[in-house]
């Protein structure tokens, strides 16, 4: 695929325990704007979410937030976005973010970040989309997650080819280059004799 036109960024509504998390979120947003790639994200102005959006806007880029009505106050909706889409449910939020994006990147975050990113990985596994999904591994935040996915492959719950389609790394430039050259593929989930209780 060509360079993405809009990246959905999943990340924390808090800033984490180390300044590197904020620094890398800011650098990622700045680089998105420099490349002319729009940001799609959860719509908050706090934590890493707000840092990415502020960086995109400060560099002249486009930032689109999608947030459920009940979280407008709780997550402190960003007041200066290019566009803020208010939906009724979390399911609508995730669907709308997907519809607006052609790539998905996880910066450090918590349960919500994992939920959203793994839904996109699952949809890719099911052939519902063929967009790149990558984890920016700031300070080794995703090192153990990467190892867990390797374990899933070793235990035959994930196909090796599906693992190869998920990017993990610390080099932001390499992530953008990988997304620009990504070629999505659909591989049916394996079923063999060991998968069937005869």
């Amino acid at each position: 695929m060509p360079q993405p036109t809009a990246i959905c960024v999943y990340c924390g509504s808090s800033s984490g325990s180390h300044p590197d998390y904020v620094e890398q979120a800011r650098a990622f947003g700045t680089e998105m704007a420099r490349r002319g790639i729009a940001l799609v994200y959860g719509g908050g102005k706090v934590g890493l979410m707000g840092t990415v959006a502020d960086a995109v806007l400060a560099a002249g880029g486009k930032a689109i937030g999608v947030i459920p009505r009940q979280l407008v106050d709780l997550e402190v909706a960003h007041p200066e976005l290019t566009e803020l889409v208010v939906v009724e449910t979390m399911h609508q939020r995730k669907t709308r973010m997907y519809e607006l994006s052609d790539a998905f990147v996880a910066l450090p975050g918590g349960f919500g970040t994992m939920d959203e990113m793994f839904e996109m990985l699952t949809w890719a596994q099911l052939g519902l989309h063929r967009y790149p999904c990558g984890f920016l591994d700031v300070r080794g935040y995703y090192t153990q997650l990467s190892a867990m996915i390797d374990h899933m492959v070793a235990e035959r719950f994930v196909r090796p080819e599906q693992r190869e389609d998920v990017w993990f790394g610390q080099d932001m430039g390499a992530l953008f280059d990988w997304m620009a050259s990504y070629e999505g593929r659909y591989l049916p989930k394996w079923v063999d004799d060991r998968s069937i209780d005869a």
Side-chain angles (χ1 to χ4, degrees), residues 15-44:
S15 297
S17 64
H18 197 280
D20 283 355
Y21 295 131
V22 172
E23 180 181 335
Q24 287 299 302
R26 184 178 296 116
F28 192 81
T30 300
E31 184 63 14
M32 285 183 63
R34 188 187 73 80
R35 292 173 179 256
I37 302 171
L39 166 68
V40 177
Y41 84 116

Side-chain angles (χ1 to χ4, degrees), residues 5-195:
T5 61
I7 298 175
C8 185
V9 175
Y10 303 124
C11 59
S13 58
S14 62
S15 297
S17 64
H18 197 280
D20 283 355
Y21 295 131
V22 172
E23 180 181 335
Q24 287 299 302
R26 184 178 296 116
F28 192 81
T30 300
E31 184 63 14
M32 285 183 63
R34 188 187 73 80
R35 292 173 179 256
I37 302 171
L39 166 68
V40 177
Y41 84 116
K45 71 174 184 179
V46 295
L48 298 188
M49 295 171 65
T51 298
V52 174
D54 287 343
V56 168
L57 294 168
K62 180 178 181 180
I64 303 169
V66 183
I67 191 167
R69 194 175 306 280
Q70 70 185 69
L71 296 183
V72 168
D73 295 327
L74 182 63
E75 291 192 354
V76 195
H78 200 301
E80 299 176 2
L81 299 176
T82 310
E83 181 180 357
L84 181 65
V85 180
V86 179
V87 296
E88 296 303 321
T89 69
M90 288 293 291
H91 291 295
Q92 291 174 348
R93 179 195 219 180
K94 290 191 285 186
T95 299
R96 189 61 184 139
M97 290 167 75
Y98 160 74
E99 292 170 344
L100 293 168
S101 308
D102 53 10
F104 304 91
V105 170
L107 304 182
F111 290 157
T113 299
M114 297 299 99
D115 169 56
E116 291 167 322
M117 191 61 164
F118 271 86
E119 183 160 18
M120 291 303 102
L121 293 176
T122 302
W123 288 12
Q125 186 181 52
L126 295 173
L128 301 179
H129 74 77
R130 296 187 182 182
Y131 297 139
C133 296
F135 291 81
L136 189 60
D137 193 15
V138 182
R139 289 182 54 80
Y141 187 78
Y142 286 120
T143 300
Q144 294 181 56
L145 179 61
S146 179
M148 182 63 210
I149 296 177
D150 289 339
H151 182 61
M152 293 176 184
V153 174
E155 296 299 313
R156 295 179 59 82
F157 288 102
V158 173
R159 293 183 60 156
E161 299 89 346
Q162 293 165 337
R163 169 65 181 89
E164 292 168 4
D165 280 349
V166 185
W167 189 93
F168 284 86
Q170 300 177 8
D171 187 330
M172 188 172 64
L175 172 56
F176 279 103
D177 290 344
W178 173 80
M179 288 189 288
S181 63
Y182 179 81
E183 294 183 7
R185 54 185 168 174
Y186 168 60
L187 298 166
K189 187 175 178 67
W190 66 45
V191 177
D192 61 20
D193 292 342
R194 287 175 292 180
S195 303

